[in-house]
Amino acid sequence: MATSMPNIFLYFCTMTALETLKEYWGYEAFRPKQEEIVAETQDKQPVTEEKAPEKAPEAAPQPPVETAPEVIPQPPAETAPAMKTVYLSKETVLNEEAFSAALSDAKAAGMDSVMFDLKSREGWVIYPISYQEGFDDYYTARDTISLKQTAEKIREAGLKPVASLYTFMDRRYQQSQVYAGILYEGSDMFWLDNSPEAGGKSWLNPYSPLEKDYLKKLMSDAAEAGFEEIVLREFRFPVGAYMEKMRFVYDGGQSKLDCLKAAAEE
């Protein structure tokens, strides 16, 4: 049976509409199921509670930092320039002409002071000391000078007078005062730092008040005469042979070091 064109077109439209309705009804039938699956899936998800952010632990209080005090730089301390001293022998000082020439040479050479021994290493005093009547000859040199005039002459030359004193190295003063010297143990004989044949010398006893008073007298005379500085030489205990046999009168159990400290402070 023949089919006309209008019938074919109608058939095509009818079939298209049926397919469209089929797809629509299928989706509508599936949608409730889809919503049920989605809801069931969400119910099975683990529920996590949101935690508040943890606070960082509070730092322990720290002690205040001590800052060093500000150091203000100080200008360097002014120091006196070093002395330029010429040392003159006893023979030069005793010779007036040689002494004058030595002072002129010292000044021309840029020296600023003159030093010589008022008491020698043997113990001879170079000026007429007046200390112990009847005993001064034991330690006063044969040839002497005037302390005051000598100091004035040095200053007139534009120089500073400086006195040098041998202190404990002395073999003359103890001839007048036995206990001013160091003795041999068990006797009143003077201890020698070597044999007499080798030039052994006796020494003054640093513990002895007799020796200390004598040195004070020498320094006082020098200062009164106008000497601006006094240099103490051989300010020490002696060393030498048979030191274990030394006898120190007046030591009182004091150590040698403490003895020298006390003597320096007097």
Side-chain angles (χ1 to χ4, degrees):
M1 181 169 112
T3 305
S4 63
M5 288 295 298
N7 291 335
I8 294 173
F9 178 73
L10 179 60
Y11 175 78
F12 177 77
C13 291
T14 302
M15 293 301 296
T16 300
L18 289 174
E19 288 294 330
T20 301
L21 290 173
K22 182 180 178 180
E23 290 180 2
Y24 173 75
W25 288 334
Y27 173 75
E28 286 298 319
F30 175 73
R31 185 169 60 179
K33 188 64 176 178
Q34 181 186 32
E35 292 177 354
E36 180 182 347
I37 293 173
V38 171
E40 184 178 349
T41 303
Q42 289 178 346
D43 291 339
K44 292 181 179 180
Q45 292 294 328
V47 179
T48 57
E49 296 181 359
E50 293 187 1
K51 296 183 179 180
E54 296 183 359
K55 294 183 179 180
E58 295 183 2
Q62 299 296 323
V65 179
E66 295 184 1
T67 57
E70 181 181 359
V71 178
I72 302 176
Q74 300 294 327
E78 296 183 3
T79 56
M83 291 176 58
K84 298 179 180 179
T85 306
V86 60
Y87 174 81
L88 301 181
S89 66
K90 177 187 68 175
E91 292 74 21
T92 299
V93 177
L94 289 170
N95 187 314
E96 186 174 350
E97 184 177 348
F99 186 48
S100 297
L103 295 180
S104 298
D105 292 343
K107 187 65 176 178
M111 299 296 174
D112 56 16
S113 54
V114 172
M115 180 175 69
F116 62 92
D117 297 333
L118 266 58
K119 182 166 81 77
S120 68
R121 60 188 297 122
E122 291 81 17
W124 293 109
V125 178
I126 201 175
Y127 67 95
I129 186 173
S130 178
Y131 184 48
Q132 295 181 109
E133 186 176 356
F135 293 94
D136 290 338
D137 290 342
Y138 281 95
Y139 40 83
T140 302
R142 182 180 60 183
D143 299 321
T144 60
I145 61 171
S146 168
L147 276 186
K148 187 173 182 180
Q149 291 179 5
T150 303
E152 288 177 352
K153 191 168 185 177
I154 294 174
R155 281 196 298 272
E156 288 172 358
L159 300 165
K160 178 190 297 185
V162 178
S164 166
L165 292 175
Y166 279 87
T167 55
F168 306 127
M169 180 183 281
D170 185 325
R171 62 181 183 178
R172 296 306 310 166
Y173 181 67
Q174 58 265 52
Q175 303 299 326
S176 66
Q177 296 285 350
V178 174
Y179 294 133
I182 301 174
L183 307 175
Y184 278 108
E185 189 67 45
S187 76
D188 285 341
M189 294 179 59
F190 295 121
W191 175 88
L192 303 179
D193 58 9
N194 209 334
S195 65
E197 296 77 16
K201 304 178 296 297
S202 60
W203 286 63
L204 294 180
N205 176 8
Y207 290 106
S208 173
L210 300 172
E211 178 275 336
K212 294 177 183 177
D213 290 342
Y214 177 51
L215 288 181
K216 290 177 182 178
K217 168 62 176 175
L218 295 170
M219 290 188 286
S220 176
D221 288 349
E224 289 178 2
F227 284 83
E228 299 181 27
E229 293 194 21
I230 300 174
V231 177
L232 302 180
R233 308 178 73 173
E234 298 296 343
F235 192 85
R236 63 181 177 88
F237 280 81
V239 294
Y242 303 107
M243 294 179 61
E244 71 280 0
K245 295 184 178 181
M246 286 180 173
R247 176 189 173 198
F248 297 103
V249 182
Y250 307 110
D251 65 347
Q254 187 182 39
S255 70
K256 293 180 179 180
L257 179 59
D258 289 340
C259 172
L260 294 178
K261 287 181 177 179
E265 293 172 355
E266 291 183 2

